[in-house]
Amino acid sequence: QVQLVESGGGLVQPGGSLRLSCAASGSINSIIAMGWYRQAPGKQRDLVAAVTSGGSTTYADSVKGRFTISRDNAKNAVYLQMNSLKPEDTAVYYCNRVWTTPFGWGQGTQVTVSS
């Protein structure tokens, strides 16, 4: 079973940038699609970005044009570059398999956007 560990979160001011990393304990080469989810307090967990094994990407409208998802199969890693951050981006961010049964959820990484 693949274990997922998210990192790279932190406190940034509006307009700032962060790069999140997701390290997998096993190979993700055979996984069709990986994605980043986020969950704010009191809200459901929502998919914000996904990338397929072929490199195709999709984004939620709320982050389109600001976030970029990528994967490095050789390093068993998935990344999320977040630019032009807004306070409404504040949430715990998780990575996981998408469009199929997810792996066990990791602890996520906290992103806080505030002045």
Side-chain angles (χ1 to χ4, degrees):
Q1 186 71 27
V2 172
Q3 301 294 314
L4 302 167
V5 180
E6 301 91 347
S7 63
L11 174 64
V12 297
Q13 294 185 349
S17 298
L18 284 173
R19 185 172 186 259
L20 307 184
S21 297
C22 172
S25 62
S27 175
I28 62 170
N29 187 60
S30 63
I31 300 176
I32 296 175
M34 291 289 294
W36 284 94
Y37 301 77
R38 68 185 182 188
Q39 185 172 31
K43 298 183 179 180
Q44 67 179 28
R45 186 174 6 232
D46 294 324
L47 179 68
V48 298
V51 58
T52 70
S53 59
S56 297
T57 59
T58 186
Y59 301 91
D61 288 341
S62 59
V63 307
K64 191 173 298 182
R66 300 187 297 118
F67 291 10
T68 303
I69 188 171
S70 61
R71 65 193 289 173
D72 187 335
N73 291 335
K75 296 182 178 180
N76 297 323
V78 185
Y79 307 98
L80 186 68
Q81 178 66 46
M82 306 187 295
N83 299 324
S84 301
L85 284 163
K86 304 175 180 180
E88 51 263 45
D89 295 320
T90 296
V92 178
Y93 284 71
Y94 304 86
C95 65
N96 215 322
R97 189 163 60 173
V98 300
W99 302 320
T100 188
T101 303
F103 296 118
W105 296 96
Q107 292 185 329
T109 185
Q110 176 71 49
V111 172
T112 302
V113 185
S114 176
S115 298

